[in-house]
Amino acid sequence: MKVIFLLLLSLLLTFPLQAQQDLPQDYFASPLEIPLILSGTFAELRSNHFHSGLDIKTHQKTGLNVLASAEGYISRIKISRFGYGKALYIQHPNGYTTVYAHLKKFSPTIQAYIKKVQYAKEDYEVEVFPKANELAVQQNELIAFSGNSGGSGGPHLHFEIRDASARPMNALNFGFDIQDSSPPLIQGVFVYPQGTNSHVNSDNNQQKLRVIPQGDGTYVTEDFNAYGTIGFGVSTVDRLDFAPNKNGVYQIKTSVNGNELMQVDFKKFSFSESRYINRFIDYAYYKNKRKRVQKLFQEENNPLSIITTYGEKGLVRVKDSLDYNYVIKVRDFKGNTSTIKIPITSKEVALEEILPKKIDTTAYYAKASQAVAFDEDGFDIYIPKNALYEDMYLDIKKDGEGIQVHYEEVPLHKNMTIGFDVSKYTPKDREQLYVARMTSWGAAYYVNTYKKNNRFSVSTKTFGKYALKQDSVGPVITPVNFRENRWMSNEQELVFKIEDKLTNIGDYRATINGKFILMEYDYKTDKLVYYFEDDIIQESENNLKLIVLDNVGNSTTFEGTFFRKN
């Protein structure tokens, strides 16, 4: 009897734990009133990060109703020029949070709430965390209208589900249905010899294998000889029905001779680990070829939780007189699978017959596990501990008024600091100086420059050339629908275009009859808009003043008069 009681107690205690691991399938509803067609999938490979949600198509339109996916309350509202643009966060009773981003506008109640905050702070960019009793919402309640704000590349709704630890999760695992009848597309397979004694066809360098489709969702690669420790990589995308976009896949599994090696599951990750994508992919190949190769072996300084390895970190150890059958299986969310079969023939060759990797030695050597500092004739460089993913020689050299700090095809995980000695410049000249990142074709891009006495510095996660540049020209302000002394009673908004070619728009402020007005800035279109519905104007004759600054402090002022009936 005692044994039976303990068994029942054990089942009762473990059942809730198992239930908690099961994701609710009918709790969250679609945030749009149209069928779900995606332009972006969860954990899709993006620049410096994994995509944290679903990008839902809105038929190239803005203004579609966005609905609360489940009951809860608005726990966060954030408005920024970049990133998510206008975004809402809903906290739900079951512990999950949903996120709605790149919005055009909020529902009237939420819009009134946030406008009050913006006018109180006299700032377009704000972030607030309402209390649970302030902005409660019900499932399917209108909360916003879809848009294209922030860093969006086109009209769509970015939708996320996050767990209680604020980790984004694949929303498709919560019962959302999409149409996908095609297996993932295999764009390339790569092999990476590890260590100086390893080779593929007598070559110690990375190689791309020719992939031959079999017409039934399977692929085979060309035959090759190898020896030692080798790893593989795959370039793959998924295509959903009704959309031409190249999306991310759901799972990748590898095995050798039937034994599991590695599994990558795109189900959940934390924001703190997202930048390790640059260790997960072949970063140099991406920078040079603009295609992402996912490395199917786990290197040092790659702690990604999406990866599971079995014994050999995903690597294959090829020994003499043995043949190997390496298999990659790539699956999308709907279970469509592409299988790649890679036959490996073992062949040991003498070390002197192996074409070695080219390693350029320099006077600058940096260890990933240690902070390092260098000085170079008027410049100083500091690279913190764990900013590099591996130990390496760095190519650092002065280049005119700038400095070349290694190459941009090598990733940095943390910011390095580059300092410039500007003591030879007058204080007046320094006001208009800034640090720019120089491209290989000679273009200069402003980098946020910290100025202190005789030293300017920048903090950046990108290797490359940096140089001092000068900007003495203020921003350009162009009226779009404003004309001097014009009656604007029939207009819904006041629109200007603001541009700065060298250091970009830094700040702006507008008033009408001396009162602050809220103007929304879209950097993608250079448009600055004031909506008359804010009801700031009380007079018929109105004096407008708009001041725009660039990032070194050059300013341009526009003043004018318009009329409007109240």
Side-chain angles (χ1 to χ4, degrees), residues 66 83-89 99-104 146-149 156-160:
V66 177
Y84 282 5
K86 295 182 180 181
L88 285 178
Y89 300 69
V99 183
Y100 314 76
H102 305 308
L103 303 170
K104 178 181 181 180
S146 67
N148 187 30
S149 60
H156 72 277
L157 175 66
H158 175 91
F159 175 70
E160 295 179 24

Side-chain angles (χ1 to χ4, degrees), residues 24 37 45-46 82 110 114-115 133 146 156 166 188 262 267 272 286 372 446 481 508 537 546 550:
I37 300 176
L45 309 179
R46 302 285 179 91
F82 311 106
I110 301 172
I114 199 64
K115 278 286 181 79
N133 60 354
S146 67
H156 72 277
M262 182 172 177
K267 297 178 181 178
S272 63
Y286 167 67
V372 64
Y446 171 81
N481 68 341
Y508 61 89
I537 298 173
L546 172 61
D550 63 21

Side-chain angles (χ1 to χ4, degrees), residues 307-486:
I307 295 174
T308 303
T309 60
Y310 305 93
E312 299 289 344
K313 296 293 184 182
L315 295 166
V316 180
R317 302 194 187 278
V318 181
K319 300 178 181 178
D320 195 20
S321 303
L322 295 175
D323 291 338
Y324 299 81
N325 184 29
Y326 181 86
V327 177
I328 305 171
K329 290 190 175 182
V330 185
R331 185 166 77 90
D332 62 26
F333 177 76
K334 281 291 192 177
N336 303 304
T337 303
S338 292
T339 301
I340 312 160
K341 298 178 180 179
I342 305 173
I344 307 169
T345 302
S346 173
K347 182 180 180 181
E348 186 175 9
V349 299
L351 183 60
E352 59 270 18
E353 296 179 25
I354 299 175
L355 180 65
K357 290 185 178 74
K358 184 181 179 182
I359 300 176
D360 294 323
T361 59
T362 70
Y364 306 100
Y365 187 72
K367 290 189 174 183
S369 61
Q370 299 176 7
V372 64
F374 302 111
D375 287 295
E376 180 67 27
D377 189 19
F379 302 92
D380 60 85
I381 300 157
Y382 174 74
I383 302 175
K385 177 181 177 181
N386 296 327
L388 296 168
Y389 292 110
E390 58 189 62
D391 303 345
M392 65 181 64
Y393 289 98
L394 300 176
D395 188 8
I396 300 174
K397 56 178 176 283
K398 187 176 178 181
D399 189 352
E401 289 297 305
I403 186 167
Q404 177 74 40
V405 185
H406 209 51
Y407 310 110
E408 65 173 336
E409 56 261 32
V410 175
L412 276 166
H413 192 73
K414 296 180 180 179
N415 285 325
M416 67 173 175
T417 302
I418 307 173
F420 292 72
D421 180 0
V422 294
S423 58
K424 68 179 182 180
Y425 297 94
T426 67
K428 184 173 180 58
D429 287 338
R430 288 180 214 162
E431 291 179 5
Q432 298 176 337
L433 284 177
Y434 66 97
V435 179
R437 182 174 65 83
M438 307 299 296
T439 66
S440 58
W441 58 90
Y445 290 93
Y446 171 81
V447 182
N448 189 35
T449 306
Y450 178 69
K451 302 180 178 183
K452 186 174 182 180
N453 300 325
N454 292 332
R455 182 177 181 270
F456 287 6
S457 64
V458 294
S459 183
T460 177
K461 290 178 180 172
T462 305
F463 280 131
K465 182 181 176 182
Y466 293 83
L468 286 173
K469 294 291 180 179
Q470 186 178 35
D471 181 5
S472 59
V473 180
V476 176
I477 302 174
T478 306
V480 174
N481 68 341
F482 176 93
R483 290 197 307 272
E484 184 66 19
N485 294 324
R486 179 190 175 194

Side-chain angles (χ1 to χ4, degrees), residues 243-254:
N245 306 79
K246 297 178 180 179
N247 302 119
V249 300
Y250 183 71
Q251 184 186 74
I252 305 174
K253 297 177 73 172
T254 69

Side-chain angles (χ1 to χ4, degrees), residues 273-331:
E273 64 178 327
S274 191
R275 192 174 175 85
Y276 284 105
I277 188 175
N278 293 333
R279 186 61 164 166
F280 175 60
I281 66 170
D282 185 334
Y283 190 81
Y285 190 86
Y286 167 67
K287 296 300 286 187
N288 292 322
K289 303 292 186 179
R290 309 312 296 176
K291 283 192 176 181
R292 294 180 175 93
V293 178
Q294 301 174 63
K295 290 183 284 189
L296 303 178
F297 53 98
Q298 193 168 22
E299 298 173 290
E300 291 294 321
N301 295 319
N302 176 8
L304 284 171
S305 61
I306 62 174
I307 295 174
T308 303
T309 60
Y310 305 93
E312 299 289 344
K313 296 293 184 182
L315 295 166
V316 180
R317 302 194 187 278
V318 181
K319 300 178 181 178
D320 195 20
S321 303
L322 295 175
D323 291 338
Y324 299 81
N325 184 29
Y326 181 86
V327 177
I328 305 171
K329 290 190 175 182
V330 185
R331 185 166 77 90

Side-chain angles (χ1 to χ4, degrees), residues 44 119 161 193 209 230 234 280 425 523 528 539 561:
E44 204 167 84
Y119 271 98
I161 299 178
L209 302 175
I230 60 176
V234 63
F280 175 60
Y425 297 94
Y523 75 95
L528 196 61
E539 296 85 6
T561 301

